[in-house]
Amino acid sequence: MNPVSSATVVNASNADPGTVQGSAAISVLKRAIDSQAQGAAQLIAALPQPAPVAAGSPGALLNVYA
């Protein structure tokens, strides 16, 4: 997962969507962001699930995880 460079963001932000170059810059930024989102989703999916708490112990009625 490669971070989106600031140059990519600047190019897409300053691009005129009515031009081929502008459309290409925006497309590159969208693909980079989609790639990062997919990588983040995979990392979240890989997190282990916390063990359930036994009834009667603290946290049994309210699940709060940091």
Side-chain angles (χ1 to χ4, degrees):
M1 181 171 70
N2 295 332
V4 177
S5 71
S6 60
T8 303
V9 174
V10 169
N11 286 340
S13 297
N14 294 334
D16 179 12
T19 64
V20 173
Q21 184 179 8
S23 295
I26 292 169
S27 178
V28 166
L29 179 62
K30 284 182 180 180
R31 287 183 186 199
I33 290 172
D34 288 344
S35 175
Q36 284 189 337
Q38 183 181 14
Q42 289 174 350
L43 288 173
I44 291 170
L47 290 174
Q49 293 296 320
V53 177
S57 62
L61 300 177
L62 178 63
N63 288 331
V64 179
Y65 297 98

